[in-house]
Amino acid sequence: MSWVHQKTRFIIGLSFVLAACGGGGGGSDGSNVVVPPPAPEPEALITFSALSPTDSGLSHMFSIQNRDEESMEQLFAGGHAVGDYDGDGDVDIFIAAGDSTPSQLFQNNGNNQFEDVATTAGVSIANHKGSGPMFADIDGDGDLDLLIGAIEGHSIYVFSNNGDGTFTDITANTGLNITALNTIGAAFGDIDNDGDLDLALTHWGNTPDATLSQSEHLWLNKGGFQFENISKSAGITDTIYVWNGNGMFGDLDYTFTPNFADINNDGFVDLLITGDFGTSMVFMNLMNGTFENVTDRDIIVDANGMGAAIADADNDGDLDWFVTAIYDKNPSTGLIRSPGNFLYTNQGEGSFSTTPHADQLEYEVHQSGWAWGTCFADFNNDGLLDIYVTNGWEELVGIYNTDTSIDYANDPSTLFMANADGTYTEYAQQAQLEETGLGRGVSCFDSDGDGDVDILTSQNSITSTNGLSLFENLGSSTLGNYLGIKLRQANGNTEALGARVYITTSDGVVQMREVRNENNYVSQNPAQVHFGLGEHDTVSELKIIWPDGREQIQSNVESNQRLVIDY
């Protein structure tokens, strides 16, 4: 189903403010987990089908020449970016391939059929240890450009989209003079509401500058692909290296996954960084060009944070934060040595809470093994956001060996289906979605345009036959109704990152999505939103709050369509 284009109609004159790892598995108190009663079965069943390379055309292998068993970074890297780079209405895929094979760009030809066009597009990069690529309209000209991180001293890349299906390497002229050995992940967002996209980077394994004169985490977009390092002046540098001293490798930068998101509903995006060894951080945007580290270490307690998903999981009008990590249980004693994933619930004003692991909800979502990429998505279109997590770790000699109850090398992915009572049910096996191996990146989007959310994963493995998997959601004819929305602006922040979309159904339930090209771990979601509507045939009210604060309202919107709304 193609996207249906609409023009906006504004309510003029309304101003507003919304009210509404790596490393070892340490970090818990060693207490036993109390097993709660089993959660109910999901109301709407769901099934996925793993498409073969022959079915989809997606074939990939992440590999490193002369792989070093002592290199953690080689086990972190890779990943993929997704976005409509050619402007034809469907989502394409770029994947970092390691330095043994060139990177790949898979053009989506519709109906889950993909073709590698990296060579003709000019993005077939050879001999490059790439990591965490990201599509974004960096120069505000209406098409998606491409940034690619790197590890072990390899250069990052910035490619300008030429608008004709090809890209030009402009890295040398961007001001992104990265000295960090590793750039694991990236995020784009407009931190100063000036209409262009600024940049956050993470650098696991980087040694901090002894003088703390500057770090390389926050970059201001000056226009024309020019970036300025403002990490120090914005208040990031002075606290980014303040950690709890439990890191396996000493005083290093342990940041993995950055995300811009407005967690206190003030109209300015804040910065959430998922980090290893207890270094996940919350930076609040003070709306004056600076950020304050407001991390509450009594609440933000994930021991080995790696991936992230951010959304309004409980439909209360603010953004919650799911962080993936290592779940480690001693097989002899049953003691929990690393507590796994955490779901941080937004309490309003940007403060979070988390329930004890004995609580049923937290018990269900925290056990994913060695977890990496993740996403929130309504897979069964029932109006509740579910959670998908990919897992896996290659236990090489000299890196990490433990007596554990989990076989991390064959650690299956997990699917937590949301129930109406606020609990989750692990449902991957029933949904035929148990992928084993060394999962890293995850993207959740409607790949074939049929109204349900599919799943793309990328692996970091030297043994798998294919390191890129597309799982087709087979529920389009049996699940609930849906509404897909993509926003576009004329210039600057053309994908309207930071906008809020609200829908209200006839039962009074309000769902909210913030438009972001979210970083899930060395991967992203496209900047489009998807709502499950259950049995509702129409949306009583659709409200959009654009990044500049203008509000648009439309009533009685029919379900089962994908709208492109232009500003």
Side-chain angles (χ1 to χ4, degrees):
M1 181 178 293
S2 61
W3 291 92
V4 178
H5 290 259
Q6 290 192 353
K7 294 292 184 180
T8 61
R9 60 185 176 90
F10 294 110
I11 297 176
I12 303 297
L14 291 181
S15 61
F16 75 99
V17 174
L18 290 180
C21 215
S28 75
D29 60 5
S31 59
N32 281 300
V33 171
V34 177
V35 178
E41 287 292 304
E43 295 181 2
L45 304 183
I46 190 169
T47 304
F48 288 82
S49 174
L51 301 183
S52 70
T54 302
D55 294 330
S56 65
L58 296 174
S59 179
H60 158 75
M61 178 64 70
F62 180 86
S63 58
I64 297 288
Q65 299 180 43
N66 304 313
R67 193 152 189 171
D68 181 3
E69 291 187 353
E70 298 297 324
S71 171
M72 298 288 284
E73 293 86 344
Q74 291 179 13
L75 292 173
F76 296 161
H80 61 267
V82 297
D84 183 10
Y85 86 90
D86 54 3
D88 65 352
D90 49 32
V91 176
D92 311 296
I93 303 166
F94 174 88
I95 187 153
D99 66 351
S100 290
T101 56
S103 55
Q104 295 167 281
L105 175 63
F106 291 100
Q107 186 178 52
N108 190 333
N109 293 324
N111 197 30
N112 283 332
Q113 299 296 304
F114 294 84
E115 176 185 2
D116 185 6
V117 297
T119 300
T120 56
V123 293
S124 179
I125 311 170
N127 302 311
H128 184 242
K129 297 178 182 179
S131 182
M134 179 74 69
F135 279 120
D137 187 2
I138 299 173
D139 58 347
D141 66 349
D143 49 39
L144 296 182
D145 311 298
L146 178 63
L147 181 145
I148 309 161
I151 62 167
E152 299 185 332
H154 283 223
S155 172
I156 72 165
Y157 279 92
V158 180
F159 286 94
S160 172
N161 191 326
N162 298 321
D164 59 1
T166 67
F167 292 81
T168 298
D169 179 5
I170 61 165
T171 310
N173 300 318
T174 62
L176 292 169
N177 302 314
I178 305 298
T179 63
L181 289 177
N182 307 306
T183 299
I184 303 296
F188 285 94
D190 186 2
I191 65 173
D192 49 4
N193 286 352
D194 66 348
D196 54 29
L197 298 181
D198 309 299
L199 173 65
L201 299 174
T202 53
H203 305 291
W204 193 104
N206 186 45
T207 302
D209 183 343
T211 66
L212 290 183
S213 60
Q214 190 70 274
S215 65
E216 297 170 354
H217 295 86
L218 189 62
W219 299 80
L220 188 69
N221 191 333
K222 307 291 287 185
F225 284 108
Q226 295 296 307
F227 286 90
E228 177 188 354
N229 187 355
I230 61 167
S231 304
K232 177 70 173 180
S233 63
I236 303 297
T237 297
D238 290 340
T239 61
I240 197 77
Y241 296 118
V242 177
W243 57 289
N244 62 15
N246 291 332
M248 177 178 286
F249 304 102
D251 190 10
L252 296 178
D253 179 345
Y254 288 111
T255 56
F256 268 140
T257 304
N259 273 292
F260 290 113
D262 182 6
I263 61 172
N264 62 346
N265 292 346
D266 64 357
F268 282 75
V269 293
D270 310 294
L271 177 60
L272 300 178
I273 297 180
T274 305
D276 207 351
F277 299 112
T279 62
S280 293
M281 285 167 278
V282 180
F283 287 95
M284 193 71 72
N285 192 331
L286 300 183
M287 301 181 288
N288 61 1
T290 67
F291 288 75
E292 180 184 2
N293 189 335
V294 296
T295 310
D296 184 344
R297 286 296 172 206
D298 291 330
I299 299 296
I300 309 302
V301 293
D302 50 276
N304 302 99
M306 290 177 278
I310 302 168
D312 184 7
D314 49 8
N315 287 339
D316 66 350
D318 50 34
L319 296 174
D320 309 298
W321 185 22
F322 180 72
V323 171
T324 62
I326 302 169
Y327 178 73
D328 186 7
K329 183 177 181 179
N330 186 303
S332 300
T333 66
L335 297 181
I336 306 302
R337 298 179 296 197
S338 190
N341 311 322
F342 276 85
L343 177 56
Y344 300 119
T345 302
N346 197 327
Q347 299 299 292
E349 304 297 327
S351 63
F352 293 100
S353 69
T354 186
T355 53
H357 282 133
D359 180 271
Q360 183 173 347
L361 182 151
E362 192 67 24
Y363 176 79
E364 286 293 341
V365 301
H366 85 281
Q367 291 192 47
S368 292
W370 204 300
W372 296 92
T374 183
C375 64
F376 277 118
D378 187 353
F379 293 113
N380 56 357
N381 285 344
D382 66 349
L384 302 172
L385 287 174
D386 314 301
I387 304 171
Y388 176 80
V389 183
T390 188
N391 309 308
W393 181 250
E394 186 173 3
E395 298 186 31
L396 299 177
V397 174
I399 291 181
Y400 180 71
N401 293 284
T402 184
D403 181 18
T404 179
S405 60
I406 299 173
D407 178 10
Y408 293 120
N410 295 287
D411 189 9
S413 57
T414 48
L415 174 65
F416 300 109
M417 299 299 295
N419 303 305
D421 62 358
T423 64
Y424 291 82
T425 300
E426 207 292 303
Y427 202 72
Q429 184 177 24
Q430 296 94 317
Q432 300 179 28
L433 199 56
E434 279 195 314
E435 181 184 34
T436 59
L438 307 183
R440 295 296 182 267
V442 170
S443 296
C444 298
F445 60 98
D446 187 356
S447 174
D448 48 6
D450 65 351
D452 51 36
V453 178
D454 310 298
I455 299 174
L456 177 75
T457 68
S458 53
Q459 293 197 10
N460 177 313
S461 174
I462 60 175
T463 58
S464 65
T465 57
N466 184 28
L468 190 62
S469 300
L470 180 60
F471 295 91
E472 181 184 1
N473 191 330
L474 301 180
S476 60
S477 62
T478 59
L479 299 179
N481 297 316
Y482 77 95
L483 184 66
I485 297 174
K486 181 165 61 177
L487 304 183
R488 300 192 309 189
Q489 299 187 133
N491 51 55
N493 178 10
T494 60
E495 290 191 294
L497 302 187
R500 294 282 180 98
V501 183
Y502 298 80
I503 65 162
T504 304
T505 45
S506 59
D507 55 2
V509 173
V510 179
Q511 297 183 55
M512 182 270 285
R513 304 284 188 269
E514 184 174 81
V515 179
R516 288 178 291 112
N517 52 1
E518 179 172 344
N519 188 327
N520 302 323
Y521 179 82
V522 300
S523 55
Q524 68 177 125
N525 285 345
Q528 50 191 246
V529 299
H530 178 97
F531 293 96
L533 303 177
E535 298 180 354
H536 297 283
D537 295 325
T538 62
V539 170
S540 302
E541 180 182 273
L542 166 65
K543 180 168 70 172
I544 301 170
I545 301 178
W546 293 85
D548 67 0
R550 292 206 179 187
E551 183 176 300
Q552 171 193 356
I553 294 177
Q554 186 170 344
S555 300
N556 299 320
V557 178
E558 292 185 3
S559 65
N560 298 328
Q561 58 176 329
R562 304 165 75 211
L563 301 178
V564 176
I565 302 179
D566 292 314
Y567 181 5

